[in-house]
Amino acid sequence: MKPDILTEKHRLGLGGVAIGTAFEKLTDGESYEVLQKAWDLGIRYYDTSPWYGLTKSERRFGNFLHGQNRDEFIFSTKVGRLFVEVPENEVPPTMWKAPLNYDFEHNYTADAIKRSIEDSLERSRLNHIDIVYVHDLSEDQVGDRYPYFLKQAREGAFRVLSELRDQGVIKAWEWELTK
């Protein structure tokens, strides 16, 4: 990652797991209050993922940050899963207390990463993403398919993320190891 993206003022950030309803059914209004309080306290680094709440957290961050000066904050999100809208009765069981109506699949191919970034930009309503993390590419997340997904990432995700960085769609990317 470029060392100048996260500076001293980004030492403390707000993560999106709770905004995605990992711990309780947070309403949109309550989420906005949390985000506004963080902003008022000077937090300028916001990290989320489409995984959190099955796209809910990313949408909530986007709705809040869309109204802020884009030069004032750093926004990071993650790739590694694709989401498709499904009927409420087909939402898979997850840790999320009130997820949106989406199902997902792990996918680290070039095409999947391009689609994931496009979807994240649409959900967040931002014109670029500062940092993209390759998310949950670990044995505890994908099990015995880890070698398969690692090969996908090496041949697809890593190359495409570098291209998107060179095009200015994202500023940086990292492979986030999950333990």
Side-chain angles (χ1 to χ4, degrees), residues 45 55 84 164:
Y45 175 41
T55 77
V84 60
L164 292 171

Side-chain angles (χ1 to χ4, degrees), residues 10-25:
H10 306 111
R11 241 188 142 141
L12 182 63
L14 179 66
V17 171
I19 299 292
T21 67
F23 309 112
E24 62 183 71
K25 293 180 181 181

Side-chain angles (χ1 to χ4, degrees), residues 114-175:
K114 287 178 192 174
R115 182 175 144 210
S116 184
I117 294 295
E118 289 171 8
D119 290 349
S120 289
L121 286 167
E122 184 178 319
R123 283 188 293 265
S124 69
R125 302 167 55 201
L126 299 173
N127 60 4
H128 71 276
I129 298 168
D130 297 293
I131 305 166
V132 173
Y133 295 103
V134 179
H135 195 222
D136 289 342
L137 184 53
S138 61
E139 289 183 50
D140 65 326
Q141 293 295 319
V142 297
D144 60 359
R145 297 190 71 197
Y146 175 72
Y148 171 78
F149 286 121
L150 180 58
K151 183 175 189 257
Q152 268 189 358
R154 285 186 172 145
E155 294 174 359
F158 299 169
R159 179 182 51 80
V160 166
L161 289 169
S162 292
E163 291 170 4
L164 292 171
R165 181 193 57 218
D166 294 346
Q167 296 165 10
V169 176
I170 67 174
K171 289 186 178 178
W173 68 272
E174 259 189 28
W175 175 10

Side-chain angles (χ1 to χ4, degrees), residues 74-89:
I74 298 295
F75 176 77
S76 62
T77 193
K78 300 167 181 75
V79 295
R81 288 181 177 91
L82 287 177
F83 297 84
V84 60
E85 194 166 5
V86 295
E88 189 173 339
N89 65 340

